[in-house]
Amino acid sequence: PDHAGSDSIPELDERLMATPAVAMERCHEVTMNMGFTSVRATRNAMHELKNHDVKRAESIREDERTADRYEDELGTYLVKLSGCHLSDQDRVEAAELLHMIGDFERISDHAVNILGAARELNQKKLAFSDEALAELNVLCRAVKDIVKTAVSVFEEKDTVLAGKVEPLEEVIDELNQEVKKRHVQRLREEKCTIEMGFILSDIITDLERVADHCSNIAVC
């Protein structure tokens, strides 16, 4: 996992609005940087579930704060840009970017939530059973695939690749249901505790939400 530095947000110069097509391209570049930031936070958060690292944990929080700043600055800039004389295509892209920056920001929020669950496990000296850990690892690998794919779709504007995101999201939904079902069975067999169940439920819900936002990005 790569630790974040304190990413500086490239300036969105209002003078570029004199040439809207250039300003739109700049917004796309900055949104791409935002996407990389959110994906990095998500990857690092999943690594936190395996072992705790202080620097990595802080990098996740910093990436979430950076994603917030991206959303604020890009959102404001795109709204102003929408008031300019845009082509129909650029107007549609501006609306799509406004949606996507919201999705990227929410992905970073879920990364922080996953970090919180990992921190609770660490502080309470709790550990998942080998079975639960193996199931969670499968789910995390699927989520890593979908975030990587969604960002590639956005970066390359690849509509063919975009068609592969929704099936991945459906697989993740099915995996979540299977993990929940197996956890209930372990509870019945007293192989797991209710407290661990709450933490596991929180984690898989956040992972599912990340996949949902990736699906939104691919649709756009």
Side-chain angles (χ1 to χ4, degrees):
D2 43 346
H3 295 176
S6 181
D7 288 354
S8 58
I9 299 173
E11 183 180 358
L12 290 163
D13 195 329
E14 290 195 19
R15 289 173 295 181
L16 287 177
M17 291 184 188
T19 314
V22 174
M24 279 302 308
E25 184 58 35
R26 186 64 178 140
C27 286
H28 190 277
E29 292 171 1
V30 176
T31 303
M32 191 71 255
N33 291 338
M34 181 186 187
F36 288 140
T37 298
S38 296
V39 168
R40 179 173 58 202
T42 304
R43 284 204 314 265
N44 281 333
M46 287 187 276
H47 281 285
E48 277 292 298
L49 292 171
K50 298 178 182 178
N51 64 286
H52 177 58
D53 181 277
V54 175
K55 288 184 179 179
R56 182 169 59 208
E58 181 50 39
S59 81
I60 295 165
R61 297 186 191 96
E62 178 60 32
D63 275 339
E64 189 271 335
R65 291 190 290 267
T66 299
D68 283 348
R69 294 198 300 273
Y70 270 120
E71 185 184 35
D72 288 343
E73 293 191 19
L74 270 166
T76 300
Y77 192 86
L78 282 164
V79 169
K80 288 181 180 178
L81 184 57
S82 296
C84 298
H85 296 290
L86 296 177
S87 67
D88 290 343
Q89 181 178 343
D90 283 342
R91 195 169 298 281
V92 169
E93 184 171 0
E96 289 174 345
L97 286 177
L98 280 168
H99 284 295
M100 282 189 276
I101 62 176
D103 285 306
F104 280 133
E105 193 277 331
R106 290 298 295 141
I107 287 172
S108 70
D109 286 344
H110 290 300
V112 170
N113 290 347
I114 294 167
L115 171 62
R119 188 180 177 207
E120 184 176 359
L121 289 170
N122 185 61
Q123 288 181 335
K124 294 181 177 179
K125 301 190 185 307
L126 299 172
F128 289 121
S129 65
D130 289 343
E131 289 178 13
L133 199 55
E135 293 161 10
L136 197 54
N137 283 338
V138 171
L139 184 54
C140 283
R141 284 199 297 273
V143 172
K144 286 177 183 176
D145 282 345
I146 199 170
V147 294
K148 179 181 179 182
T149 304
V151 169
S152 294
V153 165
F154 177 69
E155 183 177 20
E156 299 165 19
K157 299 182 180 179
D158 189 332
T159 54
V160 175
L161 189 60
K164 298 180 180 180
V165 174
E166 186 64 25
L168 270 173
E169 193 264 336
E170 290 174 2
V171 167
I172 289 168
D173 284 346
E174 291 171 5
L175 285 171
N176 281 344
Q177 293 305 314
E178 185 64 24
V179 172
K180 289 176 183 177
K181 185 172 74 175
R182 293 188 181 195
H183 169 67
V184 169
Q185 185 59 40
R186 284 192 292 271
L187 274 177
R188 288 174 179 162
E189 297 171 357
E190 298 184 348
K191 293 180 179 178
C192 192
T193 65
I194 291 176
E195 182 177 26
M196 289 297 291
F198 287 146
I199 298 172
L200 180 63
S201 179
D202 287 344
I203 292 168
I204 62 178
T205 295
D206 279 302
L207 291 172
E208 185 175 21
R209 295 291 182 271
V210 168
D212 289 342
H213 289 295
C214 287
S215 181
N216 293 343
I217 290 163
V219 168
C220 279

Short mmCIF file of all heavy atoms in Angstrom, two decimals, residues 68-113:
data_model
loop_
_atom_site.label_atom_id
_atom_site.label_comp_id
_atom_site.label_asym_id
_atom_site.label_seq_id
_atom_site.Cartn_x
_atom_site.Cartn_y
_atom_site.Cartn_z
N ASP A 68 -12.34 15.75 0.58
CA ASP A 68 -13.32 16.78 0.94
C ASP A 68 -12.99 18.11 0.26
O ASP A 68 -13.87 18.80 -0.25
CB ASP A 68 -13.37 16.97 2.45
CG ASP A 68 -14.14 15.88 3.16
OD1 ASP A 68 -14.84 15.10 2.49
OD2 ASP A 68 -14.04 15.80 4.40
N ARG A 69 -11.70 18.47 0.28
CA ARG A 69 -11.29 19.73 -0.34
C ARG A 69 -11.50 19.68 -1.85
O ARG A 69 -11.94 20.66 -2.46
CB ARG A 69 -9.82 20.04 -0.01
CG ARG A 69 -9.56 20.31 1.47
CD ARG A 69 -8.23 21.02 1.68
NE ARG A 69 -7.10 20.26 1.19
CZ ARG A 69 -6.44 19.33 1.90
NH1 ARG A 69 -6.84 19.03 3.14
NH2 ARG A 69 -5.42 18.68 1.39
N TYR A 70 -11.19 18.54 -2.45
CA TYR A 70 -11.44 18.37 -3.88
C TYR A 70 -12.91 18.61 -4.19
O TYR A 70 -13.26 19.31 -5.15
CB TYR A 70 -11.06 16.95 -4.32
CG TYR A 70 -9.64 16.75 -4.76
CD1 TYR A 70 -8.81 15.83 -4.10
CD2 TYR A 70 -9.13 17.43 -5.86
CE1 TYR A 70 -7.51 15.60 -4.52
CE2 TYR A 70 -7.83 17.21 -6.29
CZ TYR A 70 -7.02 16.30 -5.61
OH TYR A 70 -5.73 16.08 -6.03
N GLU A 71 -13.79 17.98 -3.40
CA GLU A 71 -15.23 18.10 -3.68
C GLU A 71 -15.68 19.55 -3.57
O GLU A 71 -16.43 20.04 -4.42
CB GLU A 71 -16.04 17.23 -2.72
CG GLU A 71 -17.53 17.25 -3.06
CD GLU A 71 -18.38 16.49 -2.08
OE1 GLU A 71 -18.06 16.48 -0.88
OE2 GLU A 71 -19.39 15.91 -2.51
N ASP A 72 -15.21 20.25 -2.55
CA ASP A 72 -15.60 21.66 -2.36
C ASP A 72 -15.13 22.51 -3.53
O ASP A 72 -15.91 23.29 -4.11
CB ASP A 72 -15.01 22.21 -1.05
CG ASP A 72 -15.72 21.65 0.17
OD1 ASP A 72 -16.83 21.10 0.02
OD2 ASP A 72 -15.14 21.75 1.28
N GLU A 73 -13.83 22.40 -3.87
CA GLU A 73 -13.26 23.27 -4.90
C GLU A 73 -13.79 22.92 -6.29
O GLU A 73 -14.13 23.80 -7.08
CB GLU A 73 -11.74 23.19 -4.87
CG GLU A 73 -11.14 23.79 -3.59
CD GLU A 73 -9.64 23.97 -3.66
OE1 GLU A 73 -9.09 23.97 -4.79
OE2 GLU A 73 -9.02 24.10 -2.59
N LEU A 74 -13.84 21.62 -6.60
CA LEU A 74 -14.34 21.21 -7.91
C LEU A 74 -15.82 21.53 -8.06
O LEU A 74 -16.27 21.99 -9.12
CB LEU A 74 -14.12 19.70 -8.10
CG LEU A 74 -12.80 19.27 -8.72
CD1 LEU A 74 -12.59 17.78 -8.52
CD2 LEU A 74 -12.76 19.62 -10.20
N GLY A 75 -16.59 21.29 -6.99
CA GLY A 75 -18.02 21.56 -7.05
C GLY A 75 -18.30 23.02 -7.33
O GLY A 75 -19.11 23.36 -8.20
N THR A 76 -17.61 23.90 -6.61
CA THR A 76 -17.78 25.34 -6.81
C THR A 76 -17.38 25.76 -8.22
O THR A 76 -18.08 26.52 -8.90
CB THR A 76 -16.93 26.12 -5.78
OG1 THR A 76 -17.35 25.78 -4.47
CG2 THR A 76 -17.09 27.63 -5.98
N TYR A 77 -16.25 25.22 -8.68
CA TYR A 77 -15.73 25.57 -10.01
C TYR A 77 -16.67 25.09 -11.11
O TYR A 77 -16.96 25.83 -12.07
CB TYR A 77 -14.34 24.95 -10.18
CG TYR A 77 -13.56 25.46 -11.36
CD1 TYR A 77 -12.78 26.61 -11.26
CD2 TYR A 77 -13.57 24.79 -12.58
CE1 TYR A 77 -12.04 27.08 -12.35
CE2 TYR A 77 -12.85 25.24 -13.67
CZ TYR A 77 -12.07 26.39 -13.54
OH TYR A 77 -11.36 26.85 -14.61
N LEU A 78 -17.17 23.85 -10.97
CA LEU A 78 -18.04 23.30 -12.00
C LEU A 78 -19.37 24.04 -12.09
O LEU A 78 -19.92 24.21 -13.18
CB LEU A 78 -18.28 21.80 -11.73
CG LEU A 78 -17.14 20.87 -12.13
CD1 LEU A 78 -17.31 19.51 -11.47
CD2 LEU A 78 -17.06 20.72 -13.65
N VAL A 79 -19.89 24.47 -10.95
CA VAL A 79 -21.14 25.23 -10.95
C VAL A 79 -20.93 26.55 -11.69
O VAL A 79 -21.76 26.97 -12.51
CB VAL A 79 -21.65 25.47 -9.52
CG1 VAL A 79 -22.78 26.49 -9.51
CG2 VAL A 79 -22.14 24.16 -8.91
N LYS A 80 -19.79 27.23 -11.42
CA LYS A 80 -19.49 28.49 -12.12
C LYS A 80 -19.31 28.23 -13.61
O LYS A 80 -19.78 29.00 -14.46
CB LYS A 80 -18.23 29.13 -11.54
CG LYS A 80 -18.41 29.71 -10.15
CD LYS A 80 -17.11 30.34 -9.67
CE LYS A 80 -17.27 30.95 -8.28
NZ LYS A 80 -15.99 31.52 -7.77
N LEU A 81 -18.60 27.14 -13.91
CA LEU A 81 -18.33 26.82 -15.31
C LEU A 81 -19.63 26.51 -16.07
O LEU A 81 -19.76 26.84 -17.26
CB LEU A 81 -17.38 25.62 -15.39
CG LEU A 81 -16.89 25.18 -16.77
CD1 LEU A 81 -16.19 26.34 -17.48
CD2 LEU A 81 -15.95 23.99 -16.64
N SER A 82 -20.58 25.92 -15.38
CA SER A 82 -21.87 25.58 -16.00
C SER A 82 -22.63 26.84 -16.44
O SER A 82 -23.52 26.78 -17.29
CB SER A 82 -22.73 24.76 -15.05
OG SER A 82 -22.12 23.52 -14.78
N GLY A 83 -22.28 27.97 -15.83
CA GLY A 83 -22.90 29.23 -16.20
C GLY A 83 -22.27 29.87 -17.42
O GLY A 83 -22.75 30.90 -17.91
N CYS A 84 -21.19 29.26 -17.92
CA CYS A 84 -20.52 29.78 -19.12
C CYS A 84 -21.17 29.18 -20.37
O CYS A 84 -22.05 28.33 -20.29
CB CYS A 84 -19.04 29.42 -19.08
SG CYS A 84 -18.14 30.13 -17.68
N HIS A 85 -20.69 29.62 -21.52
CA HIS A 85 -21.22 29.12 -22.79
C HIS A 85 -20.55 27.79 -23.11
O HIS A 85 -19.52 27.74 -23.78
CB HIS A 85 -20.99 30.14 -23.91
CG HIS A 85 -21.73 31.42 -23.69
ND1 HIS A 85 -23.11 31.52 -23.78
CD2 HIS A 85 -21.28 32.67 -23.37
CE1 HIS A 85 -23.48 32.75 -23.53
NE2 HIS A 85 -22.40 33.48 -23.28
N LEU A 86 -21.15 26.72 -22.62
CA LEU A 86 -20.61 25.38 -22.85
C LEU A 86 -21.31 24.72 -24.03
O LEU A 86 -22.49 24.99 -24.30
CB LEU A 86 -20.80 24.50 -21.62
CG LEU A 86 -20.07 24.89 -20.33
CD1 LEU A 86 -20.46 23.93 -19.21
CD2 LEU A 86 -18.56 24.87 -20.53
N SER A 87 -20.58 23.83 -24.68
CA SER A 87 -21.23 23.00 -25.70
C SER A 87 -22.16 22.02 -24.98
O SER A 87 -22.05 21.82 -23.76
CB SER A 87 -20.18 22.22 -26.49
OG SER A 87 -19.54 21.26 -25.63
N ASP A 88 -23.09 21.44 -25.72
CA ASP A 88 -24.01 20.47 -25.11
C ASP A 88 -23.24 19.32 -24.47
O ASP A 88 -23.58 18.86 -23.37
CB ASP A 88 -24.98 19.92 -26.16
CG ASP A 88 -26.00 20.98 -26.60
OD1 ASP A 88 -26.16 21.99 -25.88
OD2 ASP A 88 -26.63 20.79 -27.66
N GLN A 89 -22.18 18.87 -25.14
CA GLN A 89 -21.38 17.75 -24.63
C GLN A 89 -20.68 18.14 -23.33
O GLN A 89 -20.67 17.38 -22.36
CB GLN A 89 -20.34 17.32 -25.66
CG GLN A 89 -19.49 16.14 -25.20
CD GLN A 89 -18.49 15.71 -26.27
OE1 GLN A 89 -18.62 16.06 -27.44
NE2 GLN A 89 -17.48 14.96 -25.84
N ASP A 90 -20.10 19.35 -23.29
CA ASP A 90 -19.42 19.80 -22.08
C ASP A 90 -20.40 20.02 -20.93
O ASP A 90 -20.09 19.78 -19.76
CB ASP A 90 -18.65 21.10 -22.35
CG ASP A 90 -17.34 20.85 -23.10
OD1 ASP A 90 -16.88 19.69 -23.09
OD2 ASP A 90 -16.80 21.79 -23.68
N ARG A 91 -21.60 20.46 -21.26
CA ARG A 91 -22.61 20.67 -20.22
C ARG A 91 -23.00 19.33 -19.57
O ARG A 91 -23.15 19.23 -18.36
CB ARG A 91 -23.86 21.35 -20.82
CG ARG A 91 -24.80 21.93 -19.77
CD ARG A 91 -25.86 22.81 -20.44
NE ARG A 91 -25.25 23.95 -21.12
CZ ARG A 91 -24.83 25.04 -20.50
NH1 ARG A 91 -24.93 25.14 -19.19
NH2 ARG A 91 -24.30 26.04 -21.19
N VAL A 92 -23.13 18.31 -20.41
CA VAL A 92 -23.43 16.97 -19.89
C VAL A 92 -22.27 16.47 -19.03
O VAL A 92 -22.48 15.92 -17.94
CB VAL A 92 -23.70 15.97 -21.05
CG1 VAL A 92 -23.74 14.54 -20.53
CG2 VAL A 92 -25.01 16.32 -21.74
N GLU A 93 -21.03 16.68 -19.49
CA GLU A 93 -19.87 16.21 -18.74
C GLU A 93 -19.74 16.94 -17.40
O GLU A 93 -19.38 16.34 -16.39
CB GLU A 93 -18.58 16.37 -19.54
CG GLU A 93 -17.38 15.79 -18.79
CD GLU A 93 -16.12 15.71 -19.63
OE1 GLU A 93 -16.14 16.11 -20.81
OE2 GLU A 93 -15.11 15.25 -19.07
N ALA A 94 -20.06 18.23 -17.39
CA ALA A 94 -20.00 18.99 -16.13
C ALA A 94 -20.98 18.41 -15.11
O ALA A 94 -20.65 18.26 -13.92
CB ALA A 94 -20.32 20.47 -16.39
N ALA A 95 -22.18 18.06 -15.58
CA ALA A 95 -23.18 17.46 -14.68
C ALA A 95 -22.70 16.10 -14.19
O ALA A 95 -22.87 15.76 -13.01
CB ALA A 95 -24.51 17.32 -15.40
N GLU A 96 -22.07 15.32 -15.08
CA GLU A 96 -21.57 14.00 -14.69
C GLU A 96 -20.44 14.13 -13.67
O GLU A 96 -20.37 13.37 -12.70
CB GLU A 96 -21.07 13.25 -15.93
CG GLU A 96 -22.20 12.79 -16.85
CD GLU A 96 -21.69 12.19 -18.14
OE1 GLU A 96 -20.51 12.39 -18.47
OE2 GLU A 96 -22.49 11.54 -18.84
N LEU A 97 -19.54 15.09 -13.89
CA LEU A 97 -18.43 15.29 -12.96
C LEU A 97 -18.93 15.68 -11.57
O LEU A 97 -18.39 15.24 -10.56
CB LEU A 97 -17.46 16.35 -13.49
CG LEU A 97 -16.55 15.93 -14.65
CD1 LEU A 97 -15.69 17.11 -15.10
CD2 LEU A 97 -15.65 14.76 -14.26
N LEU A 98 -19.98 16.49 -11.52
CA LEU A 98 -20.56 16.87 -10.23
C LEU A 98 -21.05 15.64 -9.48
O LEU A 98 -20.90 15.54 -8.25
CB LEU A 98 -21.71 17.87 -10.42
CG LEU A 98 -21.29 19.32 -10.65
CD1 LEU A 98 -22.47 20.15 -11.12
CD2 LEU A 98 -20.70 19.93 -9.36
N HIS A 99 -21.65 14.70 -10.21
CA HIS A 99 -22.09 13.45 -9.58
C HIS A 99 -20.89 12.62 -9.12
O HIS A 99 -20.86 12.09 -8.01
CB HIS A 99 -22.92 12.61 -10.56
CG HIS A 99 -24.32 13.11 -10.74
ND1 HIS A 99 -25.25 13.11 -9.72
CD2 HIS A 99 -24.96 13.61 -11.83
CE1 HIS A 99 -26.39 13.60 -10.16
NE2 HIS A 99 -26.24 13.92 -11.44
N MET A 100 -19.88 12.53 -9.99
CA MET A 100 -18.75 11.65 -9.70
C MET A 100 -17.88 12.14 -8.54
O MET A 100 -17.38 11.34 -7.77
CB MET A 100 -17.91 11.45 -10.96
CG MET A 100 -18.56 10.46 -11.91
SD MET A 100 -17.49 9.98 -13.28
CE MET A 100 -17.80 11.32 -14.41
N ILE A 101 -17.73 13.46 -8.41
CA ILE A 101 -16.93 13.92 -7.28
C ILE A 101 -17.63 13.58 -5.96
O ILE A 101 -16.98 13.33 -4.95
CB ILE A 101 -16.59 15.44 -7.37
CG1 ILE A 101 -17.85 16.30 -7.35
CG2 ILE A 101 -15.72 15.72 -8.58
CD1 ILE A 101 -17.56 17.80 -7.34
N GLY A 102 -18.97 13.55 -6.00
CA GLY A 102 -19.71 13.12 -4.81
C GLY A 102 -19.45 11.66 -4.50
O GLY A 102 -19.27 11.27 -3.33
N ASP A 103 -19.39 10.83 -5.54
CA ASP A 103 -19.11 9.40 -5.34
C ASP A 103 -17.70 9.18 -4.82
O ASP A 103 -17.48 8.40 -3.89
CB ASP A 103 -19.32 8.63 -6.66
CG ASP A 103 -20.79 8.44 -6.99
OD1 ASP A 103 -21.53 7.92 -6.14
OD2 ASP A 103 -21.20 8.80 -8.10
N PHE A 104 -16.73 9.88 -5.40
CA PHE A 104 -15.34 9.72 -4.93
C PHE A 104 -15.20 10.18 -3.47
O PHE A 104 -14.49 9.56 -2.68
CB PHE A 104 -14.38 10.51 -5.82
CG PHE A 104 -14.03 9.83 -7.11
CD1 PHE A 104 -14.07 10.53 -8.32
CD2 PHE A 104 -13.64 8.50 -7.13
CE1 PHE A 104 -13.74 9.90 -9.52
CE2 PHE A 104 -13.31 7.86 -8.32
CZ PHE A 104 -13.36 8.57 -9.52
N GLU A 105 -15.90 11.26 -3.12
CA GLU A 105 -15.83 11.75 -1.74
C GLU A 105 -16.42 10.73 -0.77
O GLU A 105 -15.88 10.48 0.31
CB GLU A 105 -16.57 13.09 -1.63
CG GLU A 105 -16.30 13.86 -0.33
CD GLU A 105 -17.18 13.39 0.82
OE1 GLU A 105 -18.31 12.92 0.54
OE2 GLU A 105 -16.75 13.46 1.99
N ARG A 106 -17.54 10.12 -1.15
CA ARG A 106 -18.16 9.12 -0.29
C ARG A 106 -17.29 7.88 -0.16
O ARG A 106 -17.23 7.25 0.91
CB ARG A 106 -19.54 8.73 -0.85
CG ARG A 106 -20.58 9.81 -0.74
CD ARG A 106 -20.86 10.19 0.72
NE ARG A 106 -21.47 9.09 1.45
CZ ARG A 106 -21.20 8.77 2.71
NH1 ARG A 106 -20.33 9.47 3.40
NH2 ARG A 106 -21.80 7.76 3.30
N ILE A 107 -16.58 7.50 -1.22
CA ILE A 107 -15.67 6.36 -1.14
C ILE A 107 -14.61 6.62 -0.07
O ILE A 107 -14.28 5.73 0.73
CB ILE A 107 -15.01 6.10 -2.52
CG1 ILE A 107 -16.05 5.46 -3.47
CG2 ILE A 107 -13.80 5.18 -2.39
CD1 ILE A 107 -15.58 5.33 -4.90
N SER A 108 -14.08 7.84 -0.03
CA SER A 108 -13.06 8.15 0.99
C SER A 108 -13.66 8.13 2.40
O SER A 108 -13.00 7.74 3.35
CB SER A 108 -12.41 9.51 0.71
OG SER A 108 -13.31 10.58 0.94
N ASP A 109 -14.94 8.52 2.51
CA ASP A 109 -15.61 8.44 3.82
C ASP A 109 -15.71 6.99 4.29
O ASP A 109 -15.49 6.69 5.47
CB ASP A 109 -17.03 9.01 3.73
CG ASP A 109 -17.06 10.52 3.65
OD1 ASP A 109 -16.03 11.16 3.98
OD2 ASP A 109 -18.11 11.08 3.27
N HIS A 110 -16.05 6.09 3.38
CA HIS A 110 -16.16 4.67 3.75
C HIS A 110 -14.80 4.10 4.12
O HIS A 110 -14.71 3.22 4.99
CB HIS A 110 -16.80 3.88 2.61
CG HIS A 110 -18.25 4.20 2.41
ND1 HIS A 110 -19.20 4.02 3.40
CD2 HIS A 110 -18.92 4.72 1.35
CE1 HIS A 110 -20.39 4.40 2.94
NE2 HIS A 110 -20.24 4.84 1.71
N ALA A 111 -13.74 4.61 3.49
CA ALA A 111 -12.39 4.17 3.86
C ALA A 111 -12.10 4.51 5.32
O ALA A 111 -11.55 3.70 6.06
CB ALA A 111 -11.35 4.81 2.94
N VAL A 112 -12.50 5.71 5.73
CA VAL A 112 -12.30 6.13 7.13
C VAL A 112 -13.15 5.28 8.07
O VAL A 112 -12.72 4.92 9.17
CB VAL A 112 -12.61 7.63 7.30
CG1 VAL A 112 -12.64 8.01 8.78
CG2 VAL A 112 -11.56 8.47 6.59
N ASN A 113 -14.36 4.92 7.63
CA ASN A 113 -15.21 4.04 8.45
C ASN A 113 -14.55 2.67 8.65
O ASN A 113 -14.57 2.11 9.75
CB ASN A 113 -16.57 3.84 7.78
CG ASN A 113 -17.43 5.09 7.79
OD1 ASN A 113 -17.13 6.05 8.50
ND2 ASN A 113 -18.49 5.09 7.02
#
